[in-house]
Amino acid sequence: MHGPQWLERGMKHVWLPYTQMRTTLPPLPAVGTHGRTITLADGSELVDGIASWWTACHGYNHPHIRAAVSAQLECMPHVMFGGLVNEPALTLASRLAALLPGDLERVFFTDSGSVAVEVAMKMAIQYWLNRGRTGRTKLLAFRGGYHGDTMATMAICDPDEGMHSLYQGALPEHFIADLPVDADSTRALDDLLAQSGDSIAAIIVEPLVQGAGGMLFHSPDVLRTLRMLADRHGVLLVLDEIFTGFGRTGTMFACEQAGIVPDIITLSKALTAGTMALAATVARTHVFDAFLSDNPLHALMHGPTFMANAMACACANASLDLFEREDCLEQVARIGRQMRTELEPCRSLPHVVDVRVLGAIGVVELDHIRDMNALKAALVAQGVWVRPFRNIVYLTPAFNMTTTELGRLTAAIRTVLAQPV
Ligand SMILES: *Cc1c(COP(=O)(O)O)cnc(C)c1O
């Protein structure tokens, strides 16, 4: 395809994420979005099954979100958050506190998920330091987990998967354990905490779904076990809900399905419904209280330049309006039912080892994908935007996707996987 001039010129200078620039297919030039579709430079349209890394939960260019951003742009796009506050950010903080379970009441804004996780790590470590407990500098994270791409967060991702293993020698060491899914793994984790709990500030986990690690699901019991073990051994529990937050798993937050309240929670991705970059780290009252003192060094030592950006916070408030006005969780349930019915037949296709659905997440797992480029191209040829990674083909569509649009996505997956890949 002959692309627009900016494509050829710019591709000589841009460096793409997680991309072997020599062998990967050239990226597609996107020029517009509307609802659940992406328009390419040649005028063709793709039905989007990924919602831009599961952020665009209300679809693209939603009129209510657009109006909120435009209005904010007119009066005040951004002011620094040091010494000044703005209405959208404070309103958003109050609304998040009201939505989140328990006394998750204190919101610290950042501009990306990785940084929100780093802030959670710093909060947990400094929580103990401020209380006079030295030596609790480690995190306990889980195999299969993904918490970001920055140096600190890479160190708590799954150590063996392909994405970050290369950097291992450059990273601080934390504890990486198996999720407590049965009696043996629970005992092992209990033993680890009994032995090393004094050096651990917090346990961190993605609740219910380990997303970028392979869309791996676990039961709410695992979260109850983690809450119990964290309490037993006196460490904090951090839930990374950057993927699961805002309805994706069928409840507003995944932790609600386990009936537990973490000490710290991280949010991003769908927080602004995919319109602007924003993230938040929310702490319970007892965590925040550990930072109140006469000692200036007991303050949380963090402050990104663009934190609490007024336009991003206006987007997030508009997205929360839509959650209030529309029955998004019912939309999620409907999408889940349709994906369950329409992806289930994939089980009989070659190389398929599992089909699983939770909330608005549908996963077809293969034993391996031989030619990733060919698979990606075949999906685009079907008129859909679906991005398989590792050995999975998955859907995380917008919640307001129509039955017809979703039908096109699942049909495309069935068609393409029926061919040799
Ligand atoms: C995407 C993601 C992150 C990282 O967020 P970025 O905005 O890409 O830095 C962290 N944790 C989870 C669970 C995620 O899905």
Side-chain angles (χ1 to χ4, degrees), residues 36 56-60 62 65 273 319 322-323 326 328 398-400:
R36 279 77 47 196
C57 59
H58 306 297
Y60 296 109
H62 193 291
I65 296 177
S319 173
L322 295 174
F323 274 100
E326 296 168 13
C328 294
F399 302 158
N400 57 2

Side-chain angles (χ1 to χ4, degrees), residues 54 112-114 117 146-148 206 240 242-243 268-269:
W54 46 94
S112 83
S114 300
V117 173
Y146 174 81
H147 299 287
E206 297 161 84
D240 180 353
I242 291 171
F243 173 45
S268 186
K269 294 262 165 60

